[in-house]
Amino acid sequence: MSGKVAQSLEEACDAFVTWLDRRVVAAGRGDGLDRLDVAPSETFWLGRLGCEDEVRKGTNDDRAERLDPCAIGIRFRPAEAPPWSMTVTVRARAWVKDPKDGPDPDRRWWRTGPVAEKISVVTGAEGGTFGAEQLRDAFAAVGAPGRRAEVRIDVEDWHQDPELVVQLVNTSPEKSRDRTDSHLYETQLEVAGLRTTPFQLEALPDSFRHDRDVPAYGLNVGVEVPAPGVFRSSDTTTVQTVRPDYWNSSRPEPTLSFERLAADPVPELTALVDALEAYDQAHWSGSALATREAVEGWTPGMRAAADEAAVEVFAELDRLQTGLQLLATNRHIRQSFQLMNQAIGWSAQGRGYDAWRPFQVGFLLSAIRFLAEPAEDTKFVDTVWFATGGGKTETYLGLLLTTAFFDRLTGKRTGVTAWSRFPLRLLSLQQTQRFADVLAGAELVRRDAVARRVADVKGAPFSLGFLVGQAGTPNKIVPRPAGDEIGPDSPGIPDKYRVLLHCPFCRDESLRMKFDRQRWKLEHHCTNPRCPWRRGALPVYVVDQEIFRFLPTVVVGTLDKTASIGLQQAMRGLVGPPLKVCSVDWHGFTYATRAKAPNGCLVPSCQGALQSLPMPADRFAPSLRLQDELHLLRDSLGAVDSHYESLLDYLQQELSGNRAKIVAGSATLIGYDRQVKVLYRREGRVFPQPGPRSGESFWTVRKSDKLRRFVAVAPRGVTVEHVSDRTLDALQRSVRRLADAPSAVCTEAGIDPRHVDALLSLYGTNVVYGSTLHDVEAAGRSLGSNSTVDGINVEQLTGQTDFDEVRDILERLEKPEEEFSDRIHVLAASSMLSHGVDIDRLNTMVMLGLPLTTAEFIQTTARVGRRHPGLVYVLHKIGRERDAQTFRHFDKYVRQGDRFVDAIPITRRSRRVLALTLPGLVSARTLMVHEPASRQQLSNPAKLHQYLRDVDLTPDVEAAAVAELLGLDGPEDSLHRQQIVEWVREWFAGLADPTTTARFISEIGHPSPMRSLRDVEAQAPIHD
Ligand SMILES: [Zn+2]
Ligand SMILES: [Zn+2]
């Protein structure tokens, strides 16, 4: 590299990725191999062509032909009328088997020299076949007599314009005793000299944003255009994406550092909003759109779609201007925003960033109006849409801390500010840690502000609650555990429930877990003597009952836990006030009395007295409910959740007289407004609005740094599993070669040797991703037995992986072992990986078939190449129609993925789902509305029955209340209302039954209240 500027790590990564890909493709095609001991048709998956007679003789359908095709081709739209002339170049090789007594009896298969023939073609509208003799002679000349092929040209005129399909077909006779393989290998087709016009990808509503040109379509191959007018088949389709830049304005970028905004947010944010206004005027005004309409030849439909989009864009600008106005004029909002910036700045120290990206702060500006006008603004669900770029969690956290400070400033001294929920087990420990880290920053800032009397943010320390299903952390800890209950001395206690990876205050990793019997708390302790916290146990609660006792500032958890609202009266702390406070130190808030909690205190055998609440009851309910991965709330899970969301809203209204603002994050734009309406019965609003052109908006613009190299593979003749094994094998073999022979590889790949260690770390762990558990497990297993490399360490990361194992794997990935041989080499993962696993060392991925949804594709592949160029092999299950279609336009699929995101199937009007949710809804009303109103304990059926009679509450009245709560009160919902009435009547009859053996209310009625929203099959499609 002498005489040149030293190669950067980025450039080295790019060169290495190119080299890796070359090696994988070579392994798939057989490049560079001269002899084999096994049949080539059982090994290679790229570049091969089966023989036509055999393929056609098999099952006579498209699917079989895609699985082991006998032809590759390119489809064109000729620019001129026939006759058409062109030069077609065919390249191929054959493999031939020697007799037993040949020169190398152990490796009897040998590869012939290359065939490369230029065939001149002139064809009229009837098409024809060309070059058969020329190719036959060429194969004979390289030692494969009998192999045959031809160029076949079909003209299809059933479209508006004629289309020309140029194919290379393997016409070899079927295999016979002496010719054991009739395939052709390393095939390639090149067409030059034909004038063409591009195809137009099918129009979609917002097509004014997109370039829809497709120069030519491949048949069983990708198409490259190496020079103008030259089309060449490629075995794989490669799409290189680039990193975005986050400022796209000719104006100077304002300083959005945490420090600057903490000092004085208004000037910089004014500059930001002014720049946005200028951009919107330049791109979205009537005259700007009229110009594009004329220049780009828009249809009236395209113009109308652009006009509609412009309305949304200017509404967004208006929201940002309102937010800015509030920062300038509302003292509490400004102060909260400043303190938040101080806190985020503290927690970002040493992490390589000190400022917001413009879109992050843009979202905050657009959302803060709800603080000033909650009643008006909670009508809207604000959805953050992140198709590109990271920083979603930080954006939530910014809003969350602003709200927490605002709550304190306006007299909320304790209680939950936000309940943040992730679907299923998609909440990772890393994600939780980020919440803990910023809350620690906020707590230090809060303490300091109180001490210096700069802001009135007195009250309980900011704290975090971790509310997940029993598989993660315990619901409660009991003195004498029975069954699967957990006690202070149960196996694994307390270490098993360590949730934090490090101390959020000092980042020291030597945390100690402890169960404090006096306080009846499962605690995280920091052992660093210089830790700034200095107050004993860290303010983190991981046991459900501790969360109810202390009502931490932010509760993060999984969505399935929402079901507890129908089972657990102490869940009321998440929608309204608790009842009292226990007089004993560290016992916390109290709830309804029960046999095991005679005074309502949740600490076993408590003798404490009850004291009144420390602040007005209506301030306890959360100000915010956050929903991450909104697009996953679909099908049954979405339907069930829609009922429970309504229940939460109803209870908060009943108990607190207000409702929470809902903020969500989604990977999907299409159909989000309807989804939000079904789920929350509120209006949807999305930020940021998509820009005027695909890949470009005020908030993002493409720059030149490489992001991910996507390689589409359509395996031929062998299974996807085989290809996955061979691909991982080639990747591992290559990276080990870098370790063993660094100078040879560096020369070959063009890499500066000083980057070798970094490359080994950054590309030494491959992810294999499967959408189903079955795929993931199979991939992990078969790799072990089928690799040519020894000692590949495989780990699995799925929803079934134990909690502490996940923690261990993440730690090993983040801080790899010193010796390469000890590291994790292959991570077999399911969608568990797609959420919050942010590891910069994951840069290569093999995907087993396209995931079910485009959103999953986008999110999953975003896990690799976070900081360095990534490499993703997408193995298409080419027998499936959808995979085959996507392979055809893979380039557009990757670049305009957001347009391929399918609308979300969801309804709240499923009667099957209603049957599941009804018991929980009725139970929640009993626990949280009827029982407190009765001023007595209604925990057994007889007492409840008596009370309902005393207040004259009939089944029909109860049923009407439930129907109203769900919004099932329209004329089209009469069947649903009938279903509710019937169920509630039966439930009343159960209560009244004198012979009942039920001791608890939850034992009445069928089925029992849901214990987890996961009790429903998440993927099962449902209908109204
Ligand atoms: Zn510490
Ligand atoms: Zn107590």
Side-chain angles (χ1 to χ4, degrees), residues 503 506 526 531:
C503 170
C506 69
C526 176
C531 180

Side-chain angles (χ1 to χ4, degrees), residues 486-508:
I486 292 164
D489 301 314
S490 293
I493 298 281
D495 292 347
K496 189 173 164 187
Y497 297 114
R498 174 171 166 181
V499 166
L500 296 181
L501 305 167
H502 58 244
C503 170
F505 291 90
C506 69
R507 291 182 211 167
D508 195 305

Side-chain angles (χ1 to χ4, degrees), residues 427-448:
L427 170 64
S428 67
L429 291 177
Q430 286 185 320
Q431 196 103 256
T432 307
Q433 183 72 48
R434 268 144 91 182
F435 276 77
D437 291 349
V438 299
L439 276 166
E443 172 55 14
L444 294 179
V445 166
R446 189 194 68 83
R447 223 192 259 172
D448 174 70

Side-chain angles (χ1 to χ4, degrees), residues 611-918:
Q611 302 171 339
S612 52
L613 295 177
M615 73 177 180
D618 63 354
R619 294 302 309 271
F620 275 93
S623 309
L624 269 176
R625 286 211 305 272
L626 264 70
Q627 179 60 58
D628 204 358
E629 317 288 358
L630 180 71
H631 55 277
L632 296 179
L633 300 194
R634 50 187 283 165
D635 298 319
S636 298
L637 179 67
V640 168
D641 185 56
S642 74
H643 292 183
Y644 273 88
E645 297 297 332
S646 292
L647 177 62
L648 294 176
D649 282 349
Y650 162 80
L651 292 172
Q652 182 157 343
Q653 189 67 49
E654 286 291 306
L655 302 179
S656 311
N658 52 40
R659 63 176 177 172
K661 170 76 180 175
I662 296 176
V663 171
S666 180
T668 299
L669 258 187
I670 295 171
Y672 80 93
D673 42 354
R674 184 179 162 268
Q675 186 197 15
V676 159
K677 201 157 239 157
V678 170
L679 274 176
Y680 305 112
R681 300 174 66 201
R682 307 185 193 193
E683 297 289 320
R685 232 165 32 188
V686 73
F687 180 93
Q689 288 294 316
R693 286 188 172 83
S694 171
E696 182 183 337
S697 76
F698 175 73
W699 309 103
T700 51
V701 62
R702 291 181 181 136
K703 60 176 183 181
S704 57
D705 293 2
K706 304 269 174 73
L707 178 57
R708 282 174 210 105
R709 181 186 183 104
F710 289 90
V711 183
V713 178
R716 295 193 200 158
V718 292
T719 63
V720 166
E721 291 71 26
H722 171 89
V723 177
S724 151
D725 283 356
R726 308 307 305 159
T727 304
L728 291 166
D729 187 71
L731 289 170
Q732 281 297 321
R733 209 153 12 100
S734 303
V735 94
R736 279 148 208 245
R737 222 185 121 217
L738 174 67
D740 298 340
S743 58
V745 173
C746 286
T747 310
E748 226 175 287
I751 292 167
D752 184 336
R754 73 197 169 93
H755 295 306
V756 166
D757 282 346
L759 294 175
L760 271 178
S761 175
L762 292 172
Y763 297 92
T765 303
N766 317 123
V767 179
V768 53
Y769 182 87
S771 321
T772 68
L773 189 61
H774 173 265
D775 279 0
V776 176
E777 286 178 344
R781 267 199 311 274
S782 81
L783 183 65
S785 49
N786 291 338
S787 52
T788 63
V789 188
D790 287 334
I792 298 187
N793 303 328
V794 184
E795 292 291 345
Q796 269 187 29
L797 201 59
T798 72
Q800 310 291 309
T801 315
D802 277 346
F803 201 56
D804 36 352
E805 218 175 306
V806 171
R807 192 174 55 208
D808 192 53
I809 291 172
L810 292 180
E811 225 168 86
R812 288 181 63 197
L813 289 172
E814 273 196 331
K815 299 187 202 99
E817 291 81 352
E818 193 60 33
E819 288 297 320
F820 181 82
S821 58
D822 297 334
R823 296 177 184 169
I824 298 174
H825 302 123
V826 171
L827 183 69
S830 71
S831 62
M832 164 103 187
L833 176 85
S834 341
H835 308 276
V837 174
D838 299 339
I839 293 169
D840 296 341
R841 287 186 59 246
L842 298 181
N843 293 303
T844 47
M845 174 180 276
V846 174
M847 204 172 221
L848 290 164
L850 281 178
L852 206 60
T853 65
T854 314
E856 188 182 340
F857 176 81
I858 295 173
Q859 285 196 306
T860 300
T861 55
R863 294 304 113 192
V864 298
R866 295 180 55 78
R867 272 174 200 269
H868 306 285
L871 175 61
V872 181
Y873 288 96
V874 185
L875 310 187
H876 289 62
K877 290 186 175 167
I878 205 70
R880 296 195 305 206
E881 197 52 45
R882 185 166 160 272
D883 285 46
Q885 264 186 30
T886 306
F887 186 78
R888 246 163 66 89
H889 53 228
F890 188 70
D891 175 85
K892 295 277 191 265
Y893 182 73
V894 170
R895 293 190 195 285
Q896 302 175 15
D898 47 309
R899 273 207 319 169
F900 290 89
V901 171
D902 4 54
I904 292 153
I906 185 171
T907 174
R908 62 165 47 227
R909 302 182 62 254
S910 157
R911 296 184 61 201
R912 181 173 76 75
V913 164
L914 182 60
L916 291 173
T917 57
L918 253 178

Side-chain angles (χ1 to χ4, degrees), residues 209-436:
R209 289 194 170 97
H210 300 278
D211 166 22
R212 297 183 295 148
D213 285 2
V214 180
Y217 281 113
L219 273 81
N220 300 318
V221 284
V223 180
E224 288 170 353
V225 183
V230 179
F231 301 87
R232 186 189 291 160
S233 70
S234 62
D235 293 312
T236 57
T237 302
T238 301
V239 183
Q240 178 70 57
T241 60
V242 293
R243 287 180 198 280
D245 215 343
Y246 297 100
W247 185 250
N248 187 19
S249 164
S250 52
R251 300 188 176 203
E253 186 173 350
T255 305
L256 301 176
S257 68
F258 307 126
E259 192 185 353
R260 182 84 185 89
L261 297 187
D264 183 4
V266 175
E268 301 297 334
L269 295 181
T270 304
L272 174 73
V273 175
D274 287 351
L276 175 65
E277 183 174 13
Y279 182 93
D280 287 350
Q281 289 298 347
H283 291 88
W284 291 103
S285 66
S287 60
L289 294 181
T291 307
R292 276 189 68 189
E293 182 181 5
V295 173
E296 297 170 26
W298 287 359
T299 62
M302 287 160 81
R303 176 60 200 260
D307 284 338
E308 250 173 68
V311 171
E312 297 292 326
V313 163
F314 286 108
E316 175 182 277
L317 174 65
D318 187 57
R319 286 203 294 284
L320 268 86
Q321 286 168 334
T322 305
L324 179 63
Q325 191 66 25
L326 283 169
L327 273 185
T329 56
N330 183 314
R331 189 168 55 87
H332 285 155
I333 290 182
R334 186 173 60 249
Q335 213 164 20
S336 320
F337 188 81
Q338 289 173 292
L339 292 169
M340 173 276 285
N341 272 289
Q342 226 179 308
I344 300 266
W346 182 90
S347 71
Q349 276 168 24
R351 296 191 179 174
Y353 65 98
D354 60 6
W356 296 103
R357 288 173 177 163
F359 76 88
Q360 295 180 300
V361 85
F363 174 74
L364 295 176
L365 274 180
S366 80
I368 53 177
R369 174 171 175 247
F370 93 90
L371 296 170
E373 291 170 74
E376 183 53 33
D377 210 72
T378 50
K379 287 178 189 159
F380 301 95
V381 173
D382 282 309
T383 303
V384 202
W385 169 58
F386 289 85
T388 52
K392 171 180 62 171
T393 306
E394 276 67 24
T395 311
Y396 287 149
L397 291 170
L399 183 65
L400 211 143
L401 292 194
T402 306
T403 312
F405 281 116
F406 185 83
D407 275 353
R408 286 285 192 277
L409 281 170
T410 54
K412 177 162 176 164
R413 302 300 186 197
T414 183
V416 179
T417 280
W419 183 7
S420 182
R421 293 165 309 157
F422 295 76
L424 306 171
R425 283 190 63 187
L426 300 180
L427 170 64
S428 67
L429 291 177
Q430 286 185 320
Q431 196 103 256
T432 307
Q433 183 72 48
R434 268 144 91 182
F435 276 77

